[in-house]
PDB file of all heavy atoms in Angstrom:
ATOM      1  N   SER A 686     -60.207 147.750 167.157  1.00 89.00           N
ATOM      2  CA  SER A 686     -61.193 148.013 166.131  1.00 89.00           C
ATOM      3  C   SER A 686     -61.339 146.860 165.145  1.00 89.00           C
ATOM      4  O   SER A 686     -61.823 147.043 164.015  1.00 89.00           O
ATOM      5  CB  SER A 686     -60.875 149.290 165.357  1.00 89.00           C
ATOM      6  OG  SER A 686     -59.623 149.211 164.756  1.00 89.00           O
ATOM      7  N   ASP A 687     -60.961 145.632 165.618  1.00 91.00           N
ATOM      8  CA  ASP A 687     -61.068 144.473 164.703  1.00 91.00           C
ATOM      9  C   ASP A 687     -62.499 144.290 164.239  1.00 91.00           C
ATOM     10  O   ASP A 687     -63.377 144.023 165.013  1.00 91.00           O
ATOM     11  CB  ASP A 687     -60.582 143.220 165.445  1.00 91.00           C
ATOM     12  CG  ASP A 687     -60.391 142.052 164.538  1.00 91.00           C
ATOM     13  OD1 ASP A 687     -61.442 141.543 163.947  1.00 91.00           O
ATOM     14  OD2 ASP A 687     -59.245 141.588 164.328  1.00 91.00           O
ATOM     15  N   ALA A 688     -62.720 144.451 162.925  1.00 92.00           N
ATOM     16  CA  ALA A 688     -64.077 144.394 162.360  1.00 92.00           C
ATOM     17  C   ALA A 688     -64.736 143.077 162.551  1.00 92.00           C
ATOM     18  O   ALA A 688     -65.946 142.951 162.756  1.00 92.00           O
ATOM     19  CB  ALA A 688     -64.046 144.763 160.915  1.00 92.00           C
ATOM     20  N   ARG A 689     -63.938 141.965 162.426  1.00 93.00           N
ATOM     21  CA  ARG A 689     -64.491 140.600 162.538  1.00 93.00           C
ATOM     22  C   ARG A 689     -65.043 140.361 163.954  1.00 93.00           C
ATOM     23  O   ARG A 689     -66.127 139.782 164.186  1.00 93.00           O
ATOM     24  CB  ARG A 689     -63.391 139.550 162.217  1.00 93.00           C
ATOM     25  CG  ARG A 689     -62.870 139.625 160.822  1.00 93.00           C
ATOM     26  CD  ARG A 689     -61.535 138.903 160.705  1.00 93.00           C
ATOM     27  NE  ARG A 689     -60.490 139.498 161.575  1.00 93.00           N
ATOM     28  CZ  ARG A 689     -59.255 139.058 161.638  1.00 93.00           C
ATOM     29  NH1 ARG A 689     -58.897 138.009 160.943  1.00 93.00           N
ATOM     30  NH2 ARG A 689     -58.357 139.661 162.437  1.00 93.00           N
ATOM     31  N   ALA A 690     -64.271 140.855 164.950  1.00 92.00           N
ATOM     32  CA  ALA A 690     -64.686 140.700 166.363  1.00 92.00           C
ATOM     33  C   ALA A 690     -65.960 141.514 166.648  1.00 92.00           C
ATOM     34  O   ALA A 690     -66.890 141.022 167.288  1.00 92.00           O
ATOM     35  CB  ALA A 690     -63.600 141.116 167.295  1.00 92.00           C
ATOM     36  N   ILE A 691     -65.957 142.755 166.228  1.00 90.00           N
ATOM     37  CA  ILE A 691     -67.149 143.677 166.517  1.00 90.00           C
ATOM     38  C   ILE A 691     -68.396 143.120 165.794  1.00 90.00           C
ATOM     39  O   ILE A 691     -69.483 143.121 166.398  1.00 90.00           O
ATOM     40  CB  ILE A 691     -66.774 145.081 166.042  1.00 90.00           C
ATOM     41  CG1 ILE A 691     -65.671 145.662 166.912  1.00 90.00           C
ATOM     42  CG2 ILE A 691     -68.019 145.989 166.144  1.00 90.00           C
ATOM     43  CD1 ILE A 691     -65.132 146.966 166.416  1.00 90.00           C
ATOM     44  N   GLN A 692     -68.258 142.686 164.552  1.00 91.00           N
ATOM     45  CA  GLN A 692     -69.419 142.142 163.854  1.00 91.00           C
ATOM     46  C   GLN A 692     -69.950 140.882 164.533  1.00 91.00           C
ATOM     47  O   GLN A 692     -71.206 140.745 164.715  1.00 91.00           O
ATOM     48  CB  GLN A 692     -69.028 141.816 162.396  1.00 91.00           C
ATOM     49  CG  GLN A 692     -70.167 141.278 161.580  1.00 91.00           C
ATOM     50  CD  GLN A 692     -71.336 142.268 161.438  1.00 91.00           C
ATOM     51  OE1 GLN A 692     -71.136 143.464 161.341  1.00 91.00           O
ATOM     52  NE2 GLN A 692     -72.536 141.728 161.477  1.00 91.00           N
ATOM     53  N   ALA A 693     -69.098 140.047 164.996  1.00 91.00           N
ATOM     54  CA  ALA A 693     -69.502 138.811 165.680  1.00 91.00           C
ATOM     55  C   ALA A 693     -70.251 139.130 166.964  1.00 91.00           C
ATOM     56  O   ALA A 693     -71.262 138.538 167.364  1.00 91.00           O
ATOM     57  CB  ALA A 693     -68.345 137.881 165.933  1.00 91.00           C
ATOM     58  N   LEU A 694     -69.730 140.132 167.719  1.00 90.00           N
ATOM     59  CA  LEU A 694     -70.361 140.496 169.021  1.00 90.00           C
ATOM     60  C   LEU A 694     -71.763 141.098 168.803  1.00 90.00           C
ATOM     61  O   LEU A 694     -72.594 140.976 169.589  1.00 90.00           O
ATOM     62  CB  LEU A 694     -69.419 141.479 169.777  1.00 90.00           C
ATOM     63  CG  LEU A 694     -68.091 140.941 170.236  1.00 90.00           C
ATOM     64  CD1 LEU A 694     -67.276 141.998 170.953  1.00 90.00           C
ATOM     65  CD2 LEU A 694     -68.342 139.792 171.170  1.00 90.00           C
ATOM     66  N   ARG A 695     -71.902 141.774 167.650  1.00 88.00           N
ATOM     67  CA  ARG A 695     -73.228 142.408 167.409  1.00 88.00           C
ATOM     68  C   ARG A 695     -74.254 141.404 167.015  1.00 88.00           C
ATOM     69  O   ARG A 695     -75.420 141.635 166.998  1.00 88.00           O
ATOM     70  CB  ARG A 695     -73.062 143.435 166.324  1.00 88.00           C
ATOM     71  CG  ARG A 695     -72.391 144.757 166.804  1.00 88.00           C
ATOM     72  CD  ARG A 695     -72.164 145.716 165.675  1.00 88.00           C
ATOM     73  NE  ARG A 695     -71.536 146.928 166.224  1.00 88.00           N
ATOM     74  CZ  ARG A 695     -70.977 147.873 165.475  1.00 88.00           C
ATOM     75  NH1 ARG A 695     -70.917 147.721 164.186  1.00 88.00           N
ATOM     76  NH2 ARG A 695     -70.478 148.985 166.036  1.00 88.00           N
ATOM     77  N   SER A 696     -73.771 140.154 166.756  1.00 89.00           N
ATOM     78  CA  SER A 696     -74.767 139.070 166.388  1.00 89.00           C
ATOM     79  C   SER A 696     -75.035 138.196 167.545  1.00 89.00           C
ATOM     80  O   SER A 696     -75.727 137.155 167.399  1.00 89.00           O
ATOM     81  CB  SER A 696     -74.174 138.269 165.237  1.00 89.00           C
ATOM     82  OG  SER A 696     -73.005 137.537 165.627  1.00 89.00           O
ATOM     83  N   LEU A 697     -74.630 138.542 168.814  1.00 89.00           N
ATOM     84  CA  LEU A 697     -74.840 137.736 169.965  1.00 89.00           C
ATOM     85  C   LEU A 697     -76.306 137.501 170.258  1.00 89.00           C
ATOM     86  O   LEU A 697     -76.708 136.538 170.856  1.00 89.00           O
ATOM     87  CB  LEU A 697     -74.153 138.300 171.172  1.00 89.00           C
ATOM     88  CG  LEU A 697     -72.615 138.147 171.301  1.00 89.00           C
ATOM     89  CD1 LEU A 697     -72.091 138.906 172.446  1.00 89.00           C
ATOM     90  CD2 LEU A 697     -72.314 136.633 171.414  1.00 89.00           C
ATOM     91  N   GLY A 698     -77.122 138.511 169.854  1.00 84.00           N
ATOM     92  CA  GLY A 698     -78.564 138.433 170.118  1.00 84.00           C
ATOM     93  C   GLY A 698     -79.236 137.196 169.567  1.00 84.00           C
ATOM     94  O   GLY A 698     -80.283 136.752 169.995  1.00 84.00           O
ATOM     95  N   ASN A 699     -78.622 136.616 168.485  1.00 83.00           N
ATOM     96  CA  ASN A 699     -79.155 135.494 167.828  1.00 83.00           C
ATOM     97  C   ASN A 699     -78.571 134.145 168.347  1.00 83.00           C
ATOM     98  O   ASN A 699     -78.882 133.086 167.795  1.00 83.00           O
ATOM     99  CB  ASN A 699     -78.914 135.568 166.303  1.00 83.00           C
ATOM    100  CG  ASN A 699     -79.544 136.787 165.691  1.00 83.00           C
ATOM    101  OD1 ASN A 699     -80.643 137.241 166.089  1.00 83.00           O
ATOM    102  ND2 ASN A 699     -78.739 137.468 164.840  1.00 83.00           N
ATOM    103  N   MET A 700     -77.785 134.242 169.399  1.00 86.00           N
ATOM    104  CA  MET A 700     -77.079 133.056 169.857  1.00 86.00           C
ATOM    105  C   MET A 700     -77.598 132.623 171.253  1.00 86.00           C
ATOM    106  O   MET A 700     -78.343 133.338 171.927  1.00 86.00           O
ATOM    107  CB  MET A 700     -75.578 133.292 169.957  1.00 86.00           C
ATOM    108  CG  MET A 700     -74.949 133.702 168.605  1.00 86.00           C
ATOM    109  SD  MET A 700     -73.169 133.918 168.732  1.00 86.00           S
ATOM    110  CE  MET A 700     -72.802 134.755 167.160  1.00 86.00           C
ATOM    111  N   THR A 701     -77.151 131.443 171.652  1.00 78.00           N
ATOM    112  CA  THR A 701     -77.577 130.854 172.943  1.00 78.00           C
ATOM    113  C   THR A 701     -76.422 130.838 173.949  1.00 78.00           C
ATOM    114  O   THR A 701     -75.324 130.465 173.609  1.00 78.00           O
ATOM    115  CB  THR A 701     -78.081 129.424 172.738  1.00 78.00           C
ATOM    116  OG1 THR A 701     -79.157 129.451 171.780  1.00 78.00           O
ATOM    117  CG2 THR A 701     -78.604 128.830 174.029  1.00 78.00           C
ATOM    118  N   PHE A 702     -76.713 131.276 175.182  1.00 80.00           N
ATOM    119  CA  PHE A 702     -75.720 131.197 176.243  1.00 80.00           C
ATOM    120  C   PHE A 702     -75.873 129.883 177.011  1.00 80.00           C
ATOM    121  O   PHE A 702     -76.969 129.459 177.268  1.00 80.00           O
ATOM    122  CB  PHE A 702     -75.937 132.340 177.212  1.00 80.00           C
ATOM    123  CG  PHE A 702     -75.280 133.613 176.824  1.00 80.00           C
ATOM    124  CD1 PHE A 702     -75.937 134.473 175.916  1.00 80.00           C
ATOM    125  CD2 PHE A 702     -74.044 133.989 177.298  1.00 80.00           C
ATOM    126  CE1 PHE A 702     -75.295 135.693 175.570  1.00 80.00           C
ATOM    127  CE2 PHE A 702     -73.466 135.158 176.900  1.00 80.00           C
ATOM    128  CZ  PHE A 702     -74.091 136.039 176.039  1.00 80.00           C
ATOM    129  N   ARG A 703     -74.746 129.298 177.293  1.00 73.00           N
ATOM    130  CA  ARG A 703     -74.750 128.105 178.180  1.00 73.00           C
ATOM    131  C   ARG A 703     -74.918 128.526 179.654  1.00 73.00           C
ATOM    132  O   ARG A 703     -74.658 129.695 179.986  1.00 73.00           O
ATOM    133  CB  ARG A 703     -73.409 127.328 178.005  1.00 73.00           C
ATOM    134  CG  ARG A 703     -73.196 126.708 176.619  1.00 73.00           C
ATOM    135  CD  ARG A 703     -71.782 126.220 176.436  1.00 73.00           C
ATOM    136  NE  ARG A 703     -71.445 125.227 177.494  1.00 73.00           N
ATOM    137  CZ  ARG A 703     -70.158 124.809 177.669  1.00 73.00           C
ATOM    138  NH1 ARG A 703     -69.229 125.206 176.898  1.00 73.00           N
ATOM    139  NH2 ARG A 703     -69.936 123.872 178.607  1.00 73.00           N
ATOM    140  N   GLY A 704     -75.354 127.569 180.442  1.00 68.00           N
ATOM    141  CA  GLY A 704     -75.504 127.821 181.872  1.00 68.00           C
ATOM    142  C   GLY A 704     -76.764 128.483 182.224  1.00 68.00           C
ATOM    143  O   GLY A 704     -77.625 128.744 181.382  1.00 68.00           O
ATOM    144  N   LYS A 705     -76.912 128.806 183.525  1.00 69.00           N
ATOM    145  CA  LYS A 705     -78.086 129.442 184.091  1.00 69.00           C
ATOM    146  C   LYS A 705     -78.218 130.843 183.544  1.00 69.00           C
ATOM    147  O   LYS A 705     -77.290 131.625 183.625  1.00 69.00           O
ATOM    148  CB  LYS A 705     -78.042 129.412 185.605  1.00 69.00           C
ATOM    149  CG  LYS A 705     -79.247 129.950 186.275  1.00 69.00           C
ATOM    150  CD  LYS A 705     -79.140 129.952 187.745  1.00 69.00           C
ATOM    151  CE  LYS A 705     -80.338 130.602 188.444  1.00 69.00           C
ATOM    152  NZ  LYS A 705     -80.161 130.626 189.940  1.00 69.00           N
ATOM    153  N   ARG A 706     -79.386 131.183 183.040  1.00 70.00           N
ATOM    154  CA  ARG A 706     -79.608 132.516 182.465  1.00 70.00           C
ATOM    155  C   ARG A 706     -79.478 133.590 183.603  1.00 70.00           C
ATOM    156  O   ARG A 706     -79.955 133.416 184.683  1.00 70.00           O
ATOM    157  CB  ARG A 706     -81.020 132.569 181.895  1.00 70.00           C
ATOM    158  CG  ARG A 706     -81.375 133.888 181.208  1.00 70.00           C
ATOM    159  CD  ARG A 706     -80.717 133.980 179.837  1.00 70.00           C
ATOM    160  NE  ARG A 706     -81.166 135.199 179.103  1.00 70.00           N
ATOM    161  CZ  ARG A 706     -80.648 135.576 177.988  1.00 70.00           C
ATOM    162  NH1 ARG A 706     -79.723 134.847 177.388  1.00 70.00           N
ATOM    163  NH2 ARG A 706     -81.070 136.682 177.380  1.00 70.00           N
ATOM    164  N   ASN A 707     -78.733 134.647 183.298  1.00 71.00           N
ATOM    165  CA  ASN A 707     -78.615 135.758 184.261  1.00 71.00           C
ATOM    166  C   ASN A 707     -78.704 137.095 183.507  1.00 71.00           C
ATOM    167  O   ASN A 707     -78.590 137.129 182.300  1.00 71.00           O
ATOM    168  CB  ASN A 707     -77.342 135.631 185.074  1.00 71.00           C
ATOM    169  CG  ASN A 707     -76.057 135.612 184.290  1.00 71.00           C
ATOM    170  OD1 ASN A 707     -75.745 136.578 183.548  1.00 71.00           O
ATOM    171  ND2 ASN A 707     -75.260 134.497 184.273  1.00 71.00           N
ATOM    172  N   PHE A 708     -78.791 138.162 184.303  1.00 73.00           N
ATOM    173  CA  PHE A 708     -79.006 139.485 183.677  1.00 73.00           C
ATOM    174  C   PHE A 708     -77.859 139.908 182.781  1.00 73.00           C
ATOM    175  O   PHE A 708     -78.053 140.610 181.807  1.00 73.00           O
ATOM    176  CB  PHE A 708     -79.261 140.528 184.785  1.00 73.00           C
ATOM    177  CG  PHE A 708     -78.044 141.094 185.380  1.00 73.00           C
ATOM    178  CD1 PHE A 708     -77.640 142.386 185.047  1.00 73.00           C
ATOM    179  CD2 PHE A 708     -77.239 140.358 186.290  1.00 73.00           C
ATOM    180  CE1 PHE A 708     -76.503 142.946 185.610  1.00 73.00           C
ATOM    181  CE2 PHE A 708     -76.154 140.938 186.845  1.00 73.00           C
ATOM    182  CZ  PHE A 708     -75.742 142.255 186.498  1.00 73.00           C
ATOM    183  N   LEU A 709     -76.642 139.454 183.078  1.00 78.00           N
ATOM    184  CA  LEU A 709     -75.499 139.850 182.303  1.00 78.00           C
ATOM    185  C   LEU A 709     -75.595 139.221 180.861  1.00 78.00           C
ATOM    186  O   LEU A 709     -75.217 139.950 179.882  1.00 78.00           O
ATOM    187  CB  LEU A 709     -74.151 139.420 182.902  1.00 78.00           C
ATOM    188  CG  LEU A 709     -72.919 139.931 182.269  1.00 78.00           C
ATOM    189  CD1 LEU A 709     -72.894 141.484 182.308  1.00 78.00           C
ATOM    190  CD2 LEU A 709     -71.683 139.414 183.018  1.00 78.00           C
ATOM    191  N   HIS A 710     -76.210 138.081 180.686  1.00 81.00           N
ATOM    192  CA  HIS A 710     -76.352 137.454 179.380  1.00 81.00           C
ATOM    193  C   HIS A 710     -77.221 138.417 178.542  1.00 81.00           C
ATOM    194  O   HIS A 710     -76.922 138.721 177.377  1.00 81.00           O
ATOM    195  CB  HIS A 710     -77.103 136.123 179.482  1.00 81.00           C
ATOM    196  CG  HIS A 710     -76.239 135.107 180.178  1.00 81.00           C
ATOM    197  ND1 HIS A 710     -76.744 133.828 180.439  1.00 81.00           N
ATOM    198  CD2 HIS A 710     -74.954 135.094 180.595  1.00 81.00           C
ATOM    199  CE1 HIS A 710     -75.841 133.140 181.083  1.00 81.00           C
ATOM    200  NE2 HIS A 710     -74.738 133.890 181.122  1.00 81.00           N
ATOM    201  N   LYS A 711     -78.288 138.972 179.145  1.00 78.00           N
ATOM    202  CA  LYS A 711     -79.163 139.853 178.432  1.00 78.00           C
ATOM    203  C   LYS A 711     -78.473 141.133 178.034  1.00 78.00           C
ATOM    204  O   LYS A 711     -78.612 141.661 176.907  1.00 78.00           O
ATOM    205  CB  LYS A 711     -80.343 140.196 179.269  1.00 78.00           C
ATOM    206  CG  LYS A 711     -81.435 141.074 178.620  1.00 78.00           C
ATOM    207  CD  LYS A 711     -82.611 141.345 179.516  1.00 78.00           C
ATOM    208  CE  LYS A 711     -83.631 142.263 178.839  1.00 78.00           C
ATOM    209  NZ  LYS A 711     -84.766 142.522 179.711  1.00 78.00           N
ATOM    210  N   LEU A 712     -77.616 141.702 178.889  1.00 80.00           N
ATOM    211  CA  LEU A 712     -76.873 142.896 178.578  1.00 80.00           C
ATOM    212  C   LEU A 712     -75.880 142.644 177.377  1.00 80.00           C
ATOM    213  O   LEU A 712     -75.732 143.506 176.494  1.00 80.00           O
ATOM    214  CB  LEU A 712     -76.091 143.409 179.755  1.00 80.00           C
ATOM    215  CG  LEU A 712     -76.923 143.845 180.978  1.00 80.00           C
ATOM    216  CD1 LEU A 712     -75.987 144.306 182.061  1.00 80.00           C
ATOM    217  CD2 LEU A 712     -77.808 145.004 180.620  1.00 80.00           C
ATOM    218  N   LEU A 713     -75.213 141.500 177.478  1.00 83.00           N
ATOM    219  CA  LEU A 713     -74.215 141.195 176.392  1.00 83.00           C
ATOM    220  C   LEU A 713     -74.857 140.992 175.045  1.00 83.00           C
ATOM    221  O   LEU A 713     -74.247 141.212 174.011  1.00 83.00           O
ATOM    222  CB  LEU A 713     -73.413 140.000 176.803  1.00 83.00           C
ATOM    223  CG  LEU A 713     -72.550 140.074 178.070  1.00 83.00           C
ATOM    224  CD1 LEU A 713     -71.912 138.770 178.430  1.00 83.00           C
ATOM    225  CD2 LEU A 713     -71.508 141.179 177.870  1.00 83.00           C
ATOM    226  N   GLN A 714     -76.131 140.611 175.055  1.00 81.00           N
ATOM    227  CA  GLN A 714     -76.856 140.381 173.748  1.00 81.00           C
ATOM    228  C   GLN A 714     -77.520 141.646 173.277  1.00 81.00           C
ATOM    229  O   GLN A 714     -78.036 141.650 172.155  1.00 81.00           O
ATOM    230  CB  GLN A 714     -77.840 139.280 173.949  1.00 81.00           C
ATOM    231  CG  GLN A 714     -77.273 137.903 174.117  1.00 81.00           C
ATOM    232  CD  GLN A 714     -78.308 136.806 174.208  1.00 81.00           C
ATOM    233  OE1 GLN A 714     -79.156 136.831 175.095  1.00 81.00           O
ATOM    234  NE2 GLN A 714     -78.240 135.857 173.310  1.00 81.00           N
ATOM    235  N   ASP A 715     -77.476 142.744 174.026  1.00 77.00           N
ATOM    236  CA  ASP A 715     -78.063 144.002 173.630  1.00 77.00           C
ATOM    237  C   ASP A 715     -77.246 144.559 172.491  1.00 77.00           C
ATOM    238  O   ASP A 715     -76.059 144.792 172.590  1.00 77.00           O
ATOM    239  CB  ASP A 715     -78.125 145.009 174.798  1.00 77.00           C
ATOM    240  CG  ASP A 715     -78.851 146.254 174.463  1.00 77.00           C
ATOM    241  OD1 ASP A 715     -78.343 147.024 173.657  1.00 77.00           O
ATOM    242  OD2 ASP A 715     -79.976 146.472 175.028  1.00 77.00           O
ATOM    243  N   GLU A 716     -77.893 144.875 171.348  1.00 74.00           N
ATOM    244  CA  GLU A 716     -77.128 145.343 170.128  1.00 74.00           C
ATOM    245  C   GLU A 716     -76.487 146.711 170.404  1.00 74.00           C
ATOM    246  O   GLU A 716     -75.547 147.059 169.670  1.00 74.00           O
ATOM    247  CB  GLU A 716     -78.100 145.380 168.945  1.00 74.00           C
ATOM    248  CG  GLU A 716     -79.275 146.346 169.062  1.00 74.00           C
ATOM    249  CD  GLU A 716     -80.058 146.410 167.821  1.00 74.00           C
ATOM    250  OE1 GLU A 716     -79.500 146.178 166.746  1.00 74.00           O
ATOM    251  OE2 GLU A 716     -81.327 146.622 167.919  1.00 74.00           O
ATOM    252  N   HIS A 717     -76.989 147.443 171.333  1.00 74.00           N
ATOM    253  CA  HIS A 717     -76.483 148.795 171.567  1.00 74.00           C
ATOM    254  C   HIS A 717     -75.260 148.798 172.539  1.00 74.00           C
ATOM    255  O   HIS A 717     -74.363 149.592 172.355  1.00 74.00           O
ATOM    256  CB  HIS A 717     -77.556 149.758 172.080  1.00 74.00           C
ATOM    257  CG  HIS A 717     -78.727 149.880 171.156  1.00 74.00           C
ATOM    258  ND1 HIS A 717     -78.626 150.506 169.942  1.00 74.00           N
ATOM    259  CD2 HIS A 717     -80.027 149.451 171.268  1.00 74.00           C
ATOM    260  CE1 HIS A 717     -79.812 150.454 169.359  1.00 74.00           C
ATOM    261  NE2 HIS A 717     -80.662 149.832 170.134  1.00 74.00           N
ATOM    262  N   ILE A 718     -75.304 147.971 173.563  1.00 78.00           N
ATOM    263  CA  ILE A 718     -74.298 148.059 174.575  1.00 78.00           C
ATOM    264  C   ILE A 718     -73.418 146.811 174.696  1.00 78.00           C
ATOM    265  O   ILE A 718     -72.370 146.871 175.318  1.00 78.00           O
ATOM    266  CB  ILE A 718     -74.887 148.352 175.974  1.00 78.00           C
ATOM    267  CG1 ILE A 718     -75.737 147.160 176.414  1.00 78.00           C
ATOM    268  CG2 ILE A 718     -75.722 149.619 175.965  1.00 78.00           C
ATOM    269  CD1 ILE A 718     -76.218 147.295 177.837  1.00 78.00           C
ATOM    270  N   GLY A 719     -73.838 145.674 174.118  1.00 80.00           N
ATOM    271  CA  GLY A 719     -73.165 144.416 174.302  1.00 80.00           C
ATOM    272  C   GLY A 719     -71.660 144.499 173.899  1.00 80.00           C
ATOM    273  O   GLY A 719     -70.770 144.122 174.670  1.00 80.00           O
ATOM    274  N   ALA A 720     -71.421 144.951 172.652  1.00 82.00           N
ATOM    275  CA  ALA A 720     -70.027 145.003 172.177  1.00 82.00           C
ATOM    276  C   ALA A 720     -69.169 145.942 172.983  1.00 82.00           C
ATOM    277  O   ALA A 720     -68.027 145.657 173.310  1.00 82.00           O
ATOM    278  CB  ALA A 720     -70.028 145.423 170.710  1.00 82.00           C
ATOM    279  N   GLU A 721     -69.786 147.118 173.381  1.00 82.00           N
ATOM    280  CA  GLU A 721     -69.007 148.069 174.193  1.00 82.00           C
ATOM    281  C   GLU A 721     -68.714 147.495 175.586  1.00 82.00           C
ATOM    282  O   GLU A 721     -67.598 147.700 176.076  1.00 82.00           O
ATOM    283  CB  GLU A 721     -69.824 149.351 174.327  1.00 82.00           C
ATOM    284  CG  GLU A 721     -69.221 150.375 175.245  1.00 82.00           C
ATOM    285  CD  GLU A 721     -67.904 150.989 174.695  1.00 82.00           C
ATOM    286  OE1 GLU A 721     -67.534 150.664 173.555  1.00 82.00           O
ATOM    287  OE2 GLU A 721     -67.238 151.738 175.417  1.00 82.00           O
ATOM    288  N   LEU A 722     -69.649 146.790 176.134  1.00 83.00           N
ATOM    289  CA  LEU A 722     -69.385 146.222 177.463  1.00 83.00           C
ATOM    290  C   LEU A 722     -68.306 145.151 177.412  1.00 83.00           C
ATOM    291  O   LEU A 722     -67.464 145.118 178.283  1.00 83.00           O
ATOM    292  CB  LEU A 722     -70.709 145.597 178.000  1.00 83.00           C
ATOM    293  CG  LEU A 722     -70.658 144.886 179.324  1.00 83.00           C
ATOM    294  CD1 LEU A 722     -70.158 145.798 180.407  1.00 83.00           C
ATOM    295  CD2 LEU A 722     -72.026 144.310 179.694  1.00 83.00           C
ATOM    296  N   ILE A 723     -68.311 144.360 176.352  1.00 87.00           N
ATOM    297  CA  ILE A 723     -67.288 143.314 176.255  1.00 87.00           C
ATOM    298  C   ILE A 723     -65.905 143.931 176.001  1.00 87.00           C
ATOM    299  O   ILE A 723     -64.870 143.521 176.524  1.00 87.00           O
ATOM    300  CB  ILE A 723     -67.603 142.339 175.158  1.00 87.00           C
ATOM    301  CG1 ILE A 723     -68.859 141.533 175.492  1.00 87.00           C
ATOM    302  CG2 ILE A 723     -66.465 141.377 174.797  1.00 87.00           C
ATOM    303  CD1 ILE A 723     -69.502 140.727 174.376  1.00 87.00           C
TER     304      ILE A 723
END
């Protein structure tokens, strides 16, 4: 339940992924499921 980690994961939608774009990148940036999936 580390608050710093959870807060950072919820901000992934504003960040850029390296490498070829794939569907998992989109899922990880979803504010509803990204943190839970990680």
Side-chain angles (χ1 to χ4, degrees):
S686 59
D687 191 294
R689 298 162 298 181
I691 294 171
Q692 181 60 37
L694 293 177
R695 286 175 178 165
S696 65
L697 283 173
N699 302 319
M700 301 182 193
T701 302
F702 277 83
R703 293 168 59 189
K705 182 181 177 182
R706 182 77 174 173
N707 58 62
F708 84 105
L709 190 58
H710 294 174
K711 182 178 179 180
L712 294 181
L713 295 175
Q714 290 183 301
D715 187 292
E716 62 177 330
H717 300 292
I718 68 172
E721 176 66 7
L722 179 55
I723 293 167

